[in-house]
Protein backbone atom coordinates (compact mmCIF):
# COMPACT_ATOMS: atom_id res chain seq x y z
CA UNK A 1 0.00 0.00 0.00
CA UNK A 2 1.26 3.49 -0.88
CA UNK A 3 0.33 6.11 1.72
CA UNK A 4 0.44 9.89 1.49
CA UNK A 5 0.31 11.84 4.76
CA UNK A 6 -0.57 15.52 4.55
CA UNK A 7 0.98 17.96 7.04
CA UNK A 8 4.26 18.98 8.66
CA UNK A 9 3.75 18.84 12.42
CA UNK A 10 4.60 16.49 15.24
CA UNK A 11 1.26 14.80 14.67
CA UNK A 12 2.20 13.93 11.09
CA UNK A 13 5.64 12.65 12.11
CA UNK A 14 3.99 10.39 14.68
CA UNK A 15 1.33 9.17 12.21
CA UNK A 16 3.96 8.48 9.52
CA UNK A 17 6.20 6.68 12.03
CA UNK A 18 3.34 4.45 13.16
CA UNK A 19 2.20 3.77 9.60
CA UNK A 20 5.75 2.82 8.62
CA UNK A 21 5.44 -0.15 10.99
CA UNK A 22 2.62 -1.70 8.95
CA UNK A 23 3.59 -4.77 6.92
CA UNK A 24 1.05 -3.69 4.29
CA UNK A 25 2.78 -0.39 3.51
CA UNK A 26 5.41 -0.17 0.77
CA UNK A 27 5.76 3.61 0.39
CA UNK A 28 5.11 6.52 2.77
CA UNK A 29 5.15 10.06 1.44
CA UNK A 30 4.69 13.09 3.69
CA UNK A 31 3.73 16.44 2.18
CA UNK A 32 5.54 18.61 3.08
CA UNK A 33 6.86 16.83 6.22
CA UNK A 34 9.68 18.12 8.44
CA UNK A 35 13.26 17.35 9.45
CA UNK A 36 12.07 14.33 11.44
CA UNK A 37 10.17 12.66 8.61
CA UNK A 38 13.07 13.44 6.27
CA UNK A 39 15.50 11.50 8.44
CA UNK A 40 13.30 8.39 8.87
CA UNK A 41 14.65 5.58 6.64
CA UNK A 42 11.40 4.58 5.03
CA UNK A 43 9.62 7.95 4.71
CA UNK A 44 9.93 10.36 1.79
CA UNK A 45 9.16 14.07 2.10
CA UNK A 46 7.37 15.66 -0.86
CA UNK A 47 7.64 19.39 -1.37
CA UNK A 48 3.93 20.17 -1.60
CA UNK A 49 2.18 22.34 0.98
CA UNK A 50 -0.77 20.95 2.97
CA UNK A 51 -2.92 23.77 1.56
CA UNK A 52 -2.13 22.92 -2.09
CA UNK A 53 -5.01 20.54 -2.69
CA UNK A 54 -4.53 20.42 -6.46
CA UNK A 55 -0.81 19.67 -6.05
CA UNK A 56 -1.60 16.87 -3.59
CA UNK A 57 -4.26 15.45 -5.89
CA UNK A 58 -1.89 15.43 -8.89
CA UNK A 59 0.81 13.77 -6.80
CA UNK A 60 -1.56 11.08 -5.50
CA UNK A 61 -2.77 10.34 -9.02
CA UNK A 62 0.59 10.20 -10.72
CA UNK A 63 2.18 8.12 -7.95
CA UNK A 64 -0.75 5.74 -7.58
CA UNK A 65 -1.20 6.52 -3.91
CA UNK A 66 -3.68 4.10 -2.34
CA UNK A 67 -4.70 6.21 0.63
CA UNK A 68 -4.15 9.82 1.68
CA UNK A 69 -4.32 10.59 5.41
CA UNK A 70 -4.88 14.23 6.28
CA UNK A 71 -3.30 15.57 9.50
CA UNK A 72 -4.37 19.23 9.90
CA UNK A 73 -7.84 20.76 9.86
CA UNK A 74 -7.23 23.39 7.21
CA UNK A 75 -7.24 21.18 4.08
CA UNK A 76 -10.20 19.22 5.49
CA UNK A 77 -12.28 22.36 6.02
CA UNK A 78 -11.28 23.46 2.50
CA UNK A 79 -12.58 20.19 1.02
CA UNK A 80 -9.57 17.98 0.27
CA UNK A 81 -11.65 14.85 0.86
CA UNK A 82 -14.42 16.03 -1.48
CA UNK A 83 -11.84 16.67 -4.24
CA UNK A 84 -10.10 13.32 -3.80
CA UNK A 85 -13.38 11.40 -3.72
CA UNK A 86 -14.51 13.03 -6.95
CA UNK A 87 -11.47 11.42 -8.57
CA UNK A 88 -12.13 8.09 -6.84
CA UNK A 89 -9.09 8.44 -4.59
CA UNK A 90 -9.21 7.23 -1.00
CA UNK A 91 -8.83 10.06 1.50
CA UNK A 92 -9.01 9.56 5.26
CA UNK A 93 -10.67 12.63 6.76
CA UNK A 94 -14.19 14.11 6.84
CA UNK A 95 -15.77 15.98 3.92
CA UNK A 96 -15.73 19.77 4.17
CA UNK A 97 -19.41 19.82 5.13
CA UNK A 98 -18.76 17.50 8.09
CA UNK A 99 -15.47 19.24 8.99
CA UNK A 100 -17.58 22.29 9.85
CA UNK A 101 -17.80 20.70 13.29
CA UNK A 102 -14.35 22.25 13.75
CA UNK A 103 -14.49 24.91 11.03
CA UNK A 104 -17.34 26.87 12.63
CA UNK A 105 -17.97 27.07 16.35
CA UNK A 106 -21.55 28.17 15.71
CA UNK A 107 -22.17 25.19 13.43
CA UNK A 108 -20.83 22.92 16.16
CA UNK A 109 -22.99 24.53 18.86
CA UNK A 110 -26.16 24.32 16.76
CA UNK A 111 -25.37 20.65 16.03
CA UNK A 112 -24.76 19.87 19.72
CA UNK A 113 -28.00 21.53 20.72
CA UNK A 114 -30.00 19.74 18.03
CA UNK A 115 -28.75 16.32 19.14
CA UNK A 116 -28.93 17.08 22.90
CA UNK A 117 -25.19 16.67 23.42
CA UNK A 118 -24.08 18.46 26.62
CA UNK A 119 -22.18 21.70 26.09
CA UNK A 120 -21.82 25.22 27.55
CA UNK A 121 -24.66 27.72 27.13
CA UNK A 122 -23.84 30.12 24.27
CA UNK A 123 -24.95 32.77 21.81
CA UNK A 124 -23.41 33.77 18.46
CA UNK A 125 -22.99 37.40 17.34
CA UNK A 126 -21.99 39.30 14.20
CA UNK A 127 -22.61 42.68 15.85
CA UNK A 128 -20.03 43.90 18.40
CA UNK A 129 -22.45 46.09 20.37
CA UNK A 130 -24.94 43.26 20.79
CA UNK A 131 -22.08 40.97 21.85
CA UNK A 132 -20.96 43.44 24.52
CA UNK A 133 -24.52 43.93 25.79
CA UNK A 134 -24.81 40.15 26.16
CA UNK A 135 -21.51 39.96 28.06
CA UNK A 136 -22.67 42.73 30.43
CA UNK A 137 -25.88 40.85 31.04
CA UNK A 138 -24.14 37.51 31.69
CA UNK A 139 -21.13 38.76 33.70
CA UNK A 140 -17.63 37.28 33.98
CA UNK A 141 -15.76 35.00 33.70
CA UNK A 142 -17.00 34.41 30.19
CA UNK A 143 -15.51 32.79 27.11
CA UNK A 144 -15.24 34.51 23.72
CA UNK A 145 -14.44 32.44 20.65
CA UNK A 146 -13.79 33.41 17.06
CA UNK A 147 -16.27 31.41 14.98
CA UNK A 148 -13.78 30.19 12.36
CA UNK A 149 -10.35 28.56 12.38
CA UNK A 150 -7.75 30.61 14.26
CA UNK A 151 -4.92 28.09 14.76
CA UNK A 152 -5.88 27.51 18.39
CA UNK A 153 -5.60 31.21 19.26
CA UNK A 154 -9.22 32.33 18.83
CA UNK A 155 -10.40 31.69 22.40
CA UNK A 156 -10.30 34.25 25.20
CA UNK A 157 -11.31 33.48 28.75
CA UNK A 158 -12.21 36.93 30.04
CA UNK A 159 -11.93 37.38 33.80
CA UNK A 160 -13.52 40.83 33.74
CA UNK A 161 -15.68 43.02 31.50
CA UNK A 162 -12.70 45.03 30.19
CA UNK A 163 -10.91 41.90 28.98
CA UNK A 164 -14.12 40.70 27.39
CA UNK A 165 -14.72 43.99 25.58
CA UNK A 166 -11.11 44.03 24.36
CA UNK A 167 -11.50 40.50 22.99
CA UNK A 168 -14.65 41.53 21.12
CA UNK A 169 -12.91 44.59 19.63
CA UNK A 170 -9.82 42.58 18.65
CA UNK A 171 -11.86 39.90 16.95
CA UNK A 172 -14.78 41.83 15.40
CA UNK A 173 -13.40 45.35 14.80
CA UNK A 174 -9.60 44.96 14.44
CA UNK A 175 -10.19 41.49 12.93
CA UNK A 176 -6.96 40.02 14.27
CA UNK A 177 -8.18 36.58 13.18
CA UNK A 178 -9.29 37.85 9.75
CA UNK A 179 -12.69 36.64 8.56
CA UNK A 180 -12.60 33.84 11.18
CA UNK A 181 -13.37 36.35 13.94
CA UNK A 182 -16.07 38.50 12.31
CA UNK A 183 -18.56 36.26 14.03
CA UNK A 184 -18.01 35.28 17.67
CA UNK A 185 -19.50 32.65 19.91
CA UNK A 186 -19.83 33.73 23.54
CA UNK A 187 -19.95 30.88 25.98
CA UNK A 188 -20.58 30.21 29.64
CA UNK A 189 -17.30 29.54 31.51
CA UNK A 190 -16.97 25.91 32.56
CA UNK A 191 -14.72 24.67 35.32
CA UNK A 192 -13.34 21.19 35.86
CA UNK A 193 -10.64 19.05 34.31
CA UNK A 194 -10.16 18.75 30.56
CA UNK A 195 -9.61 15.57 28.60
CA UNK A 196 -9.14 14.76 24.94
CA UNK A 197 -11.19 11.88 23.62
CA UNK A 198 -10.44 10.79 20.08
CA UNK A 199 -12.22 8.15 18.05
CA UNK A 200 -11.73 6.78 14.56
CA UNK A 201 -14.98 6.49 12.65
CA UNK A 202 -16.10 5.13 9.30
CA UNK A 203 -19.38 7.01 9.61
CA UNK A 204 -21.16 4.22 11.47
CA UNK A 205 -18.71 2.54 13.85
CA UNK A 206 -16.71 4.56 16.39
CA UNK A 207 -13.45 3.05 17.58
CA UNK A 208 -12.23 4.90 20.68
CA UNK A 209 -8.50 5.57 20.84
CA UNK A 210 -6.69 5.84 24.17
CA UNK A 211 -7.70 8.88 26.20
CA UNK A 212 -5.24 11.73 26.74
CA UNK A 213 -4.78 15.13 28.29
CA UNK A 214 -2.81 18.00 26.87
CA UNK A 215 -1.42 21.17 28.43
CA UNK A 216 -2.54 24.12 26.34
CA UNK A 217 -1.08 26.93 28.44
CA UNK A 218 2.52 27.94 27.73
CA UNK A 219 3.86 28.11 31.26
CA UNK A 220 4.24 25.84 34.28
CA UNK A 221 1.16 25.59 36.47
CA UNK A 222 -1.01 25.86 33.33
CA UNK A 223 -0.47 29.62 33.25
CA UNK A 224 0.29 32.07 30.48
CA UNK A 225 -1.14 32.31 26.98
CA UNK A 226 -2.82 29.39 25.22
CA UNK A 227 -0.75 27.52 22.65
CA UNK A 228 -1.39 24.61 20.31
CA UNK A 229 -0.28 22.39 23.22
CA UNK A 230 2.96 22.19 25.25
CA UNK A 231 2.77 18.50 26.10
CA UNK A 232 0.37 15.60 26.54
CA UNK A 233 0.07 12.20 28.11
CA UNK A 234 -2.01 9.08 27.72
CA UNK A 235 -4.11 7.64 29.21
CA UNK A 236 -5.95 10.43 31.06
CA UNK A 237 -6.61 9.12 34.57
CA UNK A 238 -9.79 11.17 34.82
CA UNK A 239 -11.34 9.10 32.02
CA UNK A 240 -12.15 6.01 34.06
CA UNK A 241 -14.45 3.25 32.82
CA UNK A 242 -17.59 5.10 33.93
CA UNK A 243 -16.60 8.37 32.24
CA UNK A 244 -15.49 6.49 29.12
CA UNK A 245 -18.95 4.93 28.78
CA UNK A 246 -20.59 8.26 29.47
CA UNK A 247 -18.54 9.96 26.74
CA UNK A 248 -19.41 7.24 24.24
CA UNK A 249 -23.12 7.32 25.10
CA UNK A 250 -23.72 11.04 25.52
CA UNK A 251 -21.22 12.48 23.03
CA UNK A 252 -19.71 10.08 20.48
CA UNK A 253 -22.66 7.89 19.48
CA UNK A 254 -25.14 10.79 19.24
CA UNK A 255 -22.60 12.75 17.16
CA UNK A 256 -22.01 9.90 14.68
CA UNK A 257 -25.75 9.29 14.43
CA UNK A 258 -26.44 13.02 14.02
CA UNK A 259 -23.87 13.37 11.25
CA UNK A 260 -25.45 10.47 9.41
CA UNK A 261 -28.93 11.92 9.87
CA UNK A 262 -27.76 15.28 8.49
CA UNK A 263 -26.23 13.48 5.47
CA UNK A 264 -22.74 14.64 6.45
CA UNK A 265 -20.10 12.10 5.41
CA UNK A 266 -17.56 11.70 8.19
CA UNK A 267 -14.71 9.22 7.86
CA UNK A 268 -11.66 10.02 9.95
CA UNK A 269 -10.62 10.98 13.43
CA UNK A 270 -13.15 12.82 15.57
CA UNK A 271 -11.67 14.62 18.56
CA UNK A 272 -13.90 15.73 21.41
CA UNK A 273 -12.38 18.22 23.84
CA UNK A 274 -14.28 17.73 27.11
CA UNK A 275 -14.64 19.43 30.46
CA UNK A 276 -15.38 17.02 33.30
CA UNK A 277 -16.50 18.43 36.66
CA UNK A 278 -16.18 17.10 40.21
CA UNK A 279 -19.51 15.29 39.94
CA UNK A 280 -18.38 13.56 36.76
CA UNK A 281 -20.69 15.66 34.60
CA UNK A 282 -19.15 16.27 31.22
CA UNK A 283 -19.60 18.89 28.53
CA UNK A 284 -18.13 19.27 25.06
CA UNK A 285 -15.77 22.25 24.75
CA UNK A 286 -14.89 21.66 21.14
CA UNK A 287 -14.78 19.19 18.31
CA UNK A 288 -11.75 18.79 16.10
CA UNK A 289 -12.06 16.97 12.80
CA UNK A 290 -8.57 15.45 13.11
CA UNK A 291 -6.16 13.94 15.58
CA UNK A 292 -4.77 16.20 18.30
CA UNK A 293 -1.29 17.65 18.34
CA UNK A 294 0.57 16.85 20.63
CA UNK A 295 -1.86 14.11 21.77
CA UNK A 296 -0.99 11.99 18.70
CA UNK A 297 2.63 11.60 19.78
CA UNK A 298 2.05 9.84 23.14
CA UNK A 299 -0.98 7.95 21.80
CA UNK A 300 0.93 6.54 18.81
CA UNK A 301 3.69 5.35 21.18
CA UNK A 302 1.08 3.17 22.89
CA UNK A 303 -0.81 1.92 19.82
CA UNK A 304 0.10 -1.63 18.85
CA UNK A 305 -2.48 -2.11 16.07
CA UNK A 306 -1.83 -1.52 12.37
CA UNK A 307 -2.83 2.12 11.81
CA UNK A 308 -2.57 1.91 8.01
CA UNK A 309 -4.97 -1.03 7.92
CA UNK A 310 -7.38 0.78 10.26
CA UNK A 311 -7.44 3.93 8.09
CA UNK A 312 -7.95 1.76 5.01
CA UNK A 313 -10.81 -0.14 6.66
CA UNK A 314 -12.39 3.15 7.77
CA UNK A 315 -12.34 4.47 4.20
CA UNK A 316 -14.04 1.24 3.06
CA UNK A 317 -16.61 1.72 5.83
CA UNK A 318 -15.73 -1.61 7.38
CA UNK A 319 -14.49 -0.83 10.88
CA UNK A 320 -17.24 -2.86 12.53
CA UNK A 321 -14.97 -5.81 13.43
CA UNK A 322 -11.82 -3.82 14.21
CA UNK A 323 -10.27 -3.77 17.64
CA UNK A 324 -7.41 -1.74 18.99
CA UNK A 325 -4.48 -3.10 20.93
CA UNK A 326 -2.54 -0.90 23.35
CA UNK A 327 0.72 -0.95 25.20
CA UNK A 328 -0.32 -0.86 28.88
CA UNK A 329 2.46 1.55 29.75
CA UNK A 330 1.81 5.26 30.22
CA UNK A 331 3.10 7.68 27.65
CA UNK A 332 4.08 11.32 27.96
CA UNK A 333 5.36 13.88 25.48
CA UNK A 334 7.02 17.22 26.28
CA UNK A 335 7.00 19.87 23.56
CA UNK A 336 10.22 21.83 23.05
CA UNK A 337 9.32 25.17 21.52
CA UNK A 338 11.26 28.18 20.27
CA UNK A 339 11.67 30.84 22.98
CA UNK A 340 8.96 33.45 22.36
CA UNK A 341 6.30 31.03 21.05
CA UNK A 342 3.29 31.54 20.67
CA UNK A 343 4.41 35.06 19.73
CA UNK A 344 7.61 36.09 17.90
CA UNK A 345 10.52 33.69 17.92
CA UNK A 346 13.73 33.00 16.09
CA UNK A 347 14.11 30.09 13.67
CA UNK A 348 17.14 28.50 11.98
CA UNK A 349 18.97 27.61 15.18
CA UNK A 350 21.18 24.52 15.39
CA UNK A 351 19.78 21.58 17.31
CA UNK A 352 22.33 18.96 18.34
CA UNK A 353 22.79 15.82 20.41
CA UNK A 354 19.31 14.40 19.91
CA UNK A 355 19.15 11.11 21.82
CA UNK A 356 18.54 8.05 19.66
CA UNK A 357 15.11 6.39 19.58
CA UNK A 358 14.64 3.46 21.91
CA UNK A 359 11.72 1.15 22.54
CA UNK A 360 10.48 3.60 25.18
CA UNK A 361 11.74 6.92 23.78
CA UNK A 362 11.02 8.74 20.55
CA UNK A 363 11.68 12.31 19.55
CA UNK A 364 9.00 13.50 17.17
CA UNK A 365 9.76 16.59 15.14
CA UNK A 366 7.43 19.48 14.24
CA UNK A 367 9.10 22.76 13.21
CA UNK A 368 12.45 21.36 12.08
CA UNK A 369 14.32 21.17 8.80
CA UNK A 370 17.56 19.64 7.58
CA UNK A 371 19.97 22.11 5.99
CA UNK A 372 23.31 20.89 4.63
CA UNK A 373 22.86 17.76 6.69
CA UNK A 374 22.28 19.73 9.90
CA UNK A 375 19.11 19.88 12.00
CA UNK A 376 17.67 23.40 12.42
CA UNK A 377 14.66 24.84 14.19
CA UNK A 378 11.94 25.96 11.80
CA UNK A 379 8.82 26.93 13.74
CA UNK A 380 7.15 27.58 17.09
CA UNK A 381 6.68 24.05 18.34
CA UNK A 382 9.83 22.19 17.32
CA UNK A 383 10.17 18.79 19.02
CA UNK A 384 8.00 16.52 21.13
CA UNK A 385 10.15 14.30 23.33
CA UNK A 386 7.94 11.30 24.07
CA UNK A 387 8.58 8.43 26.47
CA UNK A 388 6.84 5.36 27.86
CA UNK A 389 6.97 4.25 31.49
CA UNK A 390 5.19 2.03 33.97
CA UNK A 391 3.83 5.24 35.54
CA UNK A 392 3.28 8.75 34.17
CA UNK A 393 6.00 9.82 36.58
CA UNK A 394 8.60 7.44 35.14
CA UNK A 395 7.61 8.40 31.57
CA UNK A 396 8.03 12.04 32.58
CA UNK A 397 11.48 11.39 34.07
CA UNK A 398 12.60 9.61 30.93
CA UNK A 399 11.36 12.47 28.70
CA UNK A 400 13.04 15.22 30.76
CA UNK A 401 16.24 13.21 30.98
CA UNK A 402 16.33 13.03 27.16
CA UNK A 403 15.63 16.78 26.93
CA UNK A 404 18.59 17.53 29.20
CA UNK A 405 20.90 16.02 26.58
CA UNK A 406 19.66 18.16 23.68
CA UNK A 407 21.71 21.25 22.76
CA UNK A 408 19.65 24.10 21.35
CA UNK A 409 20.27 27.71 22.33
CA UNK A 410 16.79 29.18 22.58
CA UNK A 411 14.59 26.25 23.45
CA UNK A 412 11.65 26.62 25.82
CA UNK A 413 9.65 23.86 27.48
CA UNK A 414 7.44 23.36 30.47
CA UNK A 415 8.86 21.42 33.39
CA UNK A 416 5.60 20.05 34.79
CA UNK A 417 3.96 18.14 31.94
CA UNK A 418 1.74 15.44 33.44
CA UNK A 419 1.45 17.08 36.87
CA UNK A 420 -2.22 16.25 37.33
CA UNK A 421 -1.76 12.58 36.52
CA UNK A 422 1.40 12.38 38.64
CA UNK A 423 -0.37 13.94 41.65
CA UNK A 424 -2.95 11.19 41.41
CA UNK A 425 -0.20 8.54 41.31
CA UNK A 426 1.62 9.82 44.41
P1 LIG B 1 -11.49 25.48 22.19
O1 LIG B 1 -10.65 25.82 20.99
O2 LIG B 1 -12.91 25.84 22.03
O3 LIG B 1 -11.27 24.10 22.68
O4 LIG B 1 -10.87 26.32 23.39
C1 LIG B 1 -9.51 26.26 23.74
C2 LIG B 1 -9.35 26.10 25.24
O5 LIG B 1 -10.03 27.17 25.91
C3 LIG B 1 -9.97 24.83 25.79
O6 LIG B 1 -9.11 23.74 25.70
C4 LIG B 1 -10.23 25.24 27.22
O7 LIG B 1 -9.03 25.18 27.98
C5 LIG B 1 -10.62 26.67 27.10
N1 LIG B 1 -12.11 26.80 26.99
C6 LIG B 1 -12.84 26.78 25.87
N2 LIG B 1 -14.15 26.91 26.13
C7 LIG B 1 -14.25 27.03 27.47
C8 LIG B 1 -15.35 27.19 28.38
N3 LIG B 1 -16.61 27.30 27.94
N4 LIG B 1 -15.08 27.25 29.69
C9 LIG B 1 -13.80 27.16 30.15
N5 LIG B 1 -12.73 27.03 29.36
C10 LIG B 1 -12.95 26.94 28.03
N1 LIG C 1 -3.90 19.74 21.35
C1 LIG C 1 -5.06 20.37 20.93
C2 LIG C 1 -5.39 20.23 19.52
O1 LIG C 1 -4.81 19.46 18.79
O2 LIG C 1 -6.30 20.93 19.08
Amino acid sequence: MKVLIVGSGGREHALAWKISQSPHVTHIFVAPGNGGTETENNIINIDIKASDIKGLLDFAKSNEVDITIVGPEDPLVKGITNRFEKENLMCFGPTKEAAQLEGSKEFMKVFLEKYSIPSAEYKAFTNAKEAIDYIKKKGCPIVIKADGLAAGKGVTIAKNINEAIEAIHDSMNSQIFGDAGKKVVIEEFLSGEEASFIVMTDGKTALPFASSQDHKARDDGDLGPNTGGMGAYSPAPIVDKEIHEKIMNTVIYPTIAGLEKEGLKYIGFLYAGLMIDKNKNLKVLEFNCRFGDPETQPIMMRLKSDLAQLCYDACRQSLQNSELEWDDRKSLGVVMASKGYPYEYESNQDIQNLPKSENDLKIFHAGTKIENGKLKSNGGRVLCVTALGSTVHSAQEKAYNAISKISWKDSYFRRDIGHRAINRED
Side-chain angles (χ1 to χ4, degrees):
M1 189 182 340
K2 287 185 177 178
V3 181
L4 169 63
I5 293 170
V6 177
S8 60
R11 167 183 47 214
E12 288 75 28
H13 186 188
L15 292 173
W17 170 78
K18 188 77 238 168
I19 283 192
S20 73
Q21 295 165 10
S22 166
H24 302 295
V25 171
T26 54
H27 295 74
I28 305 162
F29 307 106
V30 187
N34 56 38
T37 49
E38 191 173 331
T39 40
E40 297 279 354
N41 286 334
N42 40 12
I43 298 174
I44 301 167
N45 277 2
I46 304 297
D47 190 16
I48 304 173
K49 287 204 178 89
S51 55
D52 180 4
I53 294 178
K54 178 163 185 326
L56 294 166
L57 190 62
D58 291 345
F59 178 86
K61 267 199 260 178
S62 56
N63 290 276
E64 297 178 331
V65 166
D66 296 292
I67 179 168
T68 299
I69 299 170
V70 186
E73 62 277 16
D74 220 48
L76 291 167
V77 170
K78 290 198 175 108
I80 186 168
T81 300
N82 306 60
R83 291 278 295 279
F84 272 57
E85 283 190 343
K86 228 186 212 166
E87 309 267 348
N88 287 321
L89 289 171
M90 216 181 242
C91 189
F92 180 83
T95 56
K96 72 172 175 202
E97 293 79 12
Q100 284 302 301
L101 275 187
E102 177 169 2
S104 164
K105 302 263 187 212
E106 189 187 18
F107 177 94
M108 174 198 74
K109 297 295 283 188
V110 170
F111 180 93
L112 291 175
E113 214 166 33
K114 182 162 175 188
Y115 292 98
S116 306
I117 299 166
S119 168
E121 187 195 319
Y122 83 104
K123 218 169 156 136
F125 294 92
T126 48
N127 178 296
K129 188 184 168 306
E130 287 171 16
I132 291 168
D133 287 345
Y134 179 77
I135 289 166
K136 285 183 177 157
K137 197 173 93 195
K138 289 284 170 188
C140 288
I142 200 157
V143 184
I144 294 137
K145 301 184 175 184
D147 179 64
L149 293 182
K153 295 179 187 130
V155 175
T156 304
I157 296 171
K159 291 186 281 306
N160 55 53
I161 297 286
N162 288 344
E163 277 178 22
I165 292 175
E166 194 182 325
I168 294 292
H169 282 309
D170 286 348
S171 186
M172 302 182 86
N173 299 334
S174 310
Q175 295 182 9
I176 61 168
F177 308 118
D179 286 348
K182 283 185 184 169
K183 187 192 278 179
V184 296
V185 164
I186 301 181
E187 236 177 60
E188 159 201 11
F189 174 80
L190 300 174
S191 51
E193 191 169 333
E194 283 183 57
S196 308
F197 196 87
I198 301 164
V199 302
M200 177 186 274
T201 180
D202 60 5
K204 290 200 186 295
T205 301
L207 211 52
F209 272 54
S211 62
S212 57
Q213 274 177 311
D214 79 340
H215 292 270
K216 288 207 172 66
R218 188 190 58 191
D219 303 330
D220 286 1
D222 296 309
L223 300 171
N226 253 354
T227 69
M230 295 301 289
Y233 50 96
S234 168
I238 192 170
V239 182
D240 58 16
K241 202 161 176 291
E242 182 192 342
I243 298 223
H244 179 104
E245 304 266 293
K246 205 166 178 179
I247 297 170
M248 291 303 285
N249 290 328
T250 62
V251 178
I252 302 297
Y253 294 139
T255 301
I256 307 280
L259 286 163
E260 196 179 9
K261 202 156 171 219
E262 299 289 319
L264 298 169
K265 189 171 174 196
Y266 200 115
I267 290 173
F269 293 118
L270 173 69
Y271 168 138
L274 304 161
M275 187 70 91
I276 303 164
D277 74 12
K278 282 194 235 88
N279 303 319
K280 296 197 170 186
N281 294 313
L282 58 94
K283 287 189 175 172
V284 174
L285 289 175
E286 62 167 341
F287 275 134
N288 293 321
C289 60
R290 51 167 175 86
F291 222 100
D293 191 341
E295 290 93 328
T296 312
Q297 293 85 316
I299 291 179
M300 288 304 136
M301 285 285 277
R302 295 186 58 224
L303 181 65
K304 286 185 168 171
S305 311
D306 182 337
L307 183 63
Q309 185 67 47
L310 286 162
C311 293
Y312 187 81
D313 289 345
C315 286
R316 308 203 53 156
Q317 296 183 287
S318 58
L319 274 185
Q320 67 279 3
N321 297 321
S322 304
E323 277 179 24
L324 296 178
E325 217 192 317
W326 297 100
D327 190 318
D328 281 338
R329 286 175 292 176
K330 322 286 186 224
S331 179
L332 179 139
V334 179
V335 169
M336 293 183 80
S338 298
K339 198 168 93 191
Y341 171 77
Y343 308 116
E344 302 243 312
Y345 54 81
E346 219 180 279
S347 276
N348 237 11
Q349 295 193 344
D350 289 329
I351 304 173
Q352 287 164 334
N353 303 326
L354 284 197
K356 288 219 160 26
S357 296
E358 295 166 35
N359 162 275
D360 55 0
L361 177 74
K362 176 78 190 168
I363 301 186
F364 294 109
H365 295 223
T368 67
K369 62 180 174 185
I370 308 286
E371 226 173 56
N372 301 323
K374 286 193 170 157
L375 183 66
K376 303 261 187 189
S377 65
N378 187 35
R381 290 191 293 171
V382 173
L383 300 170
C384 183
V385 179
T386 311
L388 289 167
S390 55
T391 58
V392 179
H393 200 177
S394 62
Q396 188 205 48
E397 265 177 9
K398 176 119 196 149
Y400 282 115
N401 184 39
I403 286 180
S404 70
K405 302 197 169 107
I406 298 173
S407 320
W408 165 20
K409 183 163 75 77
D410 280 341
S411 68
Y412 174 85
F413 56 91
R414 280 182 57 166
R415 288 166 195 278
D416 65 345
I417 298 301
H419 65 85
R420 265 189 222 95
I422 290 167
N423 283 343
R424 280 172 204 250
E425 281 174 348
D426 291 342

